[in-house]
Every structure is written in C-alpha cells, then in structure tokens.
Amino acid sequence: MNLQKKKDREELDRKVPDMPWYVEKFINYKLPDLSPSSLLEYVRDYETFFSWLMGEGLTAAEKISGIPIVDLERLHMDSVDNFRMYLSTRTENANSRTTISRKLSSLRSLFHYLSQIAEDDEFYPLLKRNVMAKVSIKRTHKPKDTAAKLEGKLLQEEEIDEFIRYIHSDYAQDVATNKQALYSHELNHIRDACIVSLILNSGLRVSELVNLNVDDLDLKKKLVYVYRKGKNDDTFKTPVFFRQEAIADLEAYLELRDLRYHAPKREKALFLAIANGKKEGSRMTKRAIQEMVIKYAKRFGKPFLSVHKLRHSFATDYYLRNDLYKTQEQLGHASPETTQIYAHLTDKTMEQAIDRPKTAE
C-alpha cells in the first residue's frame, strides 16, 4: 500500500468508530471496491452532515455515533435544502458548487445503500424512507467547461522543452543576485528538471510521482510502476510509459542521487530532499514538489502553472498524437468522459492545423 493510502486507511480506521453503526456497515460494504482515500472522503462528508443535524436540533443524540437511523427517515426536503444552503454560506469554510455536489452525492450513496441494499433481520430495508432519492445533483464540471478553464494555461509544443531547459540553466540567470536561491538551484536543478521532465513526458499524477521508488523505474523499457488512483488493489503496480525525452534527465539525476542527497541504504524513494537540520535525504513530499513547480513557473512567466497543469500539458500533447482511449489508459482515467477534456482543448489546435501550409516534400 502506498504512503498516502496507508495514511488515509489509518485515519479512516480512527474515524469510523465515531460514526453511527449504519455508516460503518456502509463503509465495510464499499471497502472491497473503493480505495481508503475515497472512503475517507465519504466519512468526512458524513461528519459534516451529522454535525449539522445535531446543531439544527434534528436529532436528540448527543454525539454522532448515537444518531439513530430513524432520524434520517424523518428528514424533509426542506432539511436537505437547508443543508445545501448551509454548505454554500458558512463563512468559516465556504464550499464550491463542486464540493457541495460531492457531499450531497455522498449522502445519496449512503441513503441508497440503507434503503435499497441493506436489510434487517426481517429482510426489510434498514431505511424505510429515502429523502435523498428526491434530490437532483447536477454535474458541475463538464469536459467542455473544464477545457475552457484550462485554455491558455498549459504548456504547448516547444514550451514544454523550453520550461525544462529553463529549470536546468536559465533560472540561474534570473536569480543571479540572490545567493540563497542560486545555491538552492545549483544543488537541486538536476533533480527538479528530472521531476518536471518525467511529468511532461508521462502525465504522472503528483501522488504517483511522490510514491515512486528507485526499483519502480525501468529505463530500458521506458516505464515506471505506480499505484494508480482509484484502484483499491494494492497487490500490484501499473506500468506507465514515458517518452524517450525523459531518459537523459533521469540518468543525470540517478548519477548524483545517492551522493548529493546522502541517501541512506534503507531509503527507497526515487526523489529525495534534505530537510532543514537533517544530514540524510528522505522522500520528497507532495507539497515540496508543488511549491518547486510554482517557483520556476512564476519566473518562467507562467504563474498559473501547477503540477496538475503539467499533467494536462502532457495529456493535450499526447492526445494530438494518439486517440482518446490511448490517452485514457496513459493517464489512468477511470472513464473516457474525463479524457474528453483534451478533445475540447485540442479543437482550436486542430482548427489551425487544417489550414496550415503544406511543407515541401
């Protein structure tokens, strides 16, 4: 089990006993099919809902674990509408439409299970009345909408190589008067360029990148083995190919990994960093990689770039050279609908290509 899933499973195990018994029953039902990370999101959503129920006086229970299932049967549509309003207006942590839809969808899944699948000893549904069945949840992000938001915010064609080259050398010129930034760049630019190059030539998620071990890398076959998001089977890793362009950056980093980052033999992580006050390198964190990309992106003149937009940049370029289903497989998308954003992103590129002058044969 990768590190993030392990942490999420531990937190899930801590939180479930504080939930009502029927939520624990639902989580156990879903456990074979969903990852600990997905189930933890469910539990967090239920925690918000049950806390709201108690605050509104819609249950006499004094703690979440004591909320009886009959209190769910007594809910009116007005209560659901009020909960939706609460999510959209609470000042301390306002929720986006996407988050609200997800939380309501989590509730629908629980209520559906209790009313349509789970049974009592007399073979009757555990939940006799399902108010959430009346709730319509609209999709908040269509592929075309997501594509529109990303348009103009990705690296395209020659910019991909330019950004990697900038990290290697040009960044040093921009921070020449900043001794601390210059020292950090001298120490880490080969590692940093390798990380960005690998994402831009494979489309890996940052979570997949963070969890990479040295043994997961196969330079001869040009692939890495990763635990794919959404797959609950941690008995094997999925091979993900990368382009030839990443080979030189990977080889350059591997040559200095042990020496520069003082990697102890027990440390299996591919990408290392030396934390303040430490002498030995340890696995880079997700946050460190995100901050590293933002640092270079701002100086490069693309302040909107992020690790995830690097993945989108690869995907758009990859889609232009391949098809929807190959792109879906390369990125590890569960549904081709998610991959369709790249069809919309490349519409303008294809429109320009149709009128592009022919090159001499």
Side-chain angles (χ1 to χ4, degrees):
M1 184 177 290
N2 68 40
L3 294 177
Q4 190 58 51
K5 281 187 178 181
K6 184 178 179 181
K7 290 179 181 177
D8 288 344
R9 182 55 192 264
E10 289 172 353
E11 186 175 351
L12 181 68
D13 290 341
R14 287 195 302 269
K15 283 182 173 292
V16 166
D18 294 329
M19 290 286 109
W21 63 270
Y22 45 86
V23 170
E24 183 172 4
K25 190 176 179 70
F26 170 72
I27 296 298
N28 289 335
Y29 171 75
K30 285 289 189 180
L31 196 54
D33 301 318
L34 295 179
S35 69
S37 302
S38 297
L39 291 172
L40 181 59
E41 287 300 318
Y42 274 109
V43 171
R44 286 170 176 165
D45 292 341
Y46 300 150
E47 197 172 40
T48 300
F49 173 68
F50 289 131
S51 295
W52 176 81
L53 274 186
M54 295 170 64
E56 292 294 304
L58 295 173
T59 177
E62 296 182 355
K63 56 183 180 179
I64 289 177
S65 61
I67 297 176
I69 198 168
V70 68
D71 286 348
L72 304 187
E73 294 176 345
R74 294 171 178 163
L75 290 174
H76 294 282
M77 274 302 298
D78 285 347
S79 298
V80 178
D81 290 338
N82 289 338
F83 179 60
R84 192 199 302 261
M85 185 67 68
Y86 162 77
L87 292 175
S88 64
T89 59
R90 58 179 182 158
T91 55
E92 75 276 10
N93 188 20
N95 291 277
S96 66
R97 287 196 303 167
T98 303
T99 304
I100 293 170
S101 294
R102 194 205 69 226
K103 289 181 183 295
L104 292 175
S105 181
S106 296
L107 284 177
R108 280 190 59 173
S109 296
L110 174 64
F111 278 56
H112 174 79
Y113 166 76
L114 295 175
S115 64
Q116 301 294 322
I117 299 173
E119 299 174 337
D120 61 20
D121 293 339
E122 300 299 324
F123 307 108
Y124 288 105
L126 290 180
L127 189 68
K128 309 300 188 293
R129 177 179 169 276
N130 179 6
V131 67
M132 291 303 298
K134 303 177 183 180
V135 177
S136 175
I137 302 175
K138 297 179 181 179
R139 283 184 58 89
T140 55
H141 281 298
K142 295 179 180 179
K144 191 172 184 179
D145 297 334
T146 303
K149 290 182 179 180
L150 290 172
E151 190 173 340
K153 296 181 179 180
L154 306 180
L155 296 175
Q156 297 180 358
E157 298 178 354
E158 67 275 3
E159 287 181 331
I160 291 176
D161 291 332
E162 287 175 3
F163 187 49
I164 297 171
R165 186 166 59 250
Y166 179 79
I167 296 172
H168 267 301
S169 56
D170 296 347
Y171 175 83
Q173 299 173 17
D174 288 345
V175 297
T177 58
N178 187 326
K179 291 184 178 180
Q180 184 175 353
L182 199 61
Y183 172 77
S184 177
H185 179 258
E186 176 61 28
L187 184 68
N188 297 310
H189 73 278
I190 293 177
R191 179 203 64 189
D192 296 348
C194 179
I195 290 172
V196 171
S197 177
L198 186 54
I199 298 172
L200 286 172
N201 285 294
S202 69
L204 286 176
R205 297 177 176 91
V206 65
S207 58
E208 295 166 349
L209 193 85
V210 166
N211 286 297
L212 280 177
N213 292 330
V214 174
D215 294 341
D216 294 328
L217 177 65
D218 190 328
L219 288 176
K220 290 183 179 180
K221 294 182 179 179
K222 292 187 295 186
L223 58 81
V224 290
Y225 293 92
V226 302
Y227 290 114
R228 274 301 194 189
K229 178 183 177 182
K231 291 190 176 181
N232 198 30
D233 187 354
D234 286 328
T235 59
F236 67 92
K237 295 182 177 182
T238 302
V240 178
F241 289 91
F242 53 82
R243 290 171 173 163
Q244 178 69 33
E245 287 85 342
I247 293 287
D249 290 313
L250 283 163
E251 288 178 337
Y253 170 68
L254 288 173
E255 282 184 13
L256 59 79
R257 172 189 176 274
D258 294 348
L259 183 62
R260 181 160 297 181
Y261 295 98
H262 309 292
K265 291 184 179 180
R266 66 180 181 279
E267 181 55 77
K268 299 178 180 180
L270 176 59
F271 293 112
L272 304 174
I274 301 178
N276 289 335
K278 301 290 184 180
K279 295 182 179 180
E280 294 182 333
S282 59
R283 188 182 300 271
M284 281 191 78
T285 64
K286 179 179 177 180
R287 182 176 179 178
I289 293 176
Q290 290 170 330
E291 290 178 348
M292 177 268 289
V293 169
I294 291 171
K295 176 185 73 173
Y296 289 117
K298 287 180 178 178
R299 288 281 187 173
F300 186 67
K302 301 277 187 179
F304 42 75
L305 269 183
S306 63
V307 178
H308 201 60
K309 286 188 176 68
L310 294 183
R311 171 173 155 86
H312 283 313
S313 298
F314 163 82
T316 306
D317 184 67
Y318 187 88
Y319 178 80
L320 279 170
R321 307 185 195 191
N322 295 278
D323 58 35
L324 182 73
Y325 296 102
K326 285 182 180 177
T327 307
Q328 177 190 352
E329 184 176 356
Q330 177 69 25
L331 296 176
H333 287 159
S335 167
E337 186 175 4
T338 306
T339 318
Q340 284 175 359
I341 65 172
Y342 305 111
H344 296 291
L345 273 168
T346 54
D347 278 349
K348 185 171 290 187
T349 305
M350 298 297 281
E351 180 184 344
Q352 294 169 347
I354 198 74
D355 294 321
R356 194 172 294 157
K358 288 184 179 180
T359 54
E361 296 182 0

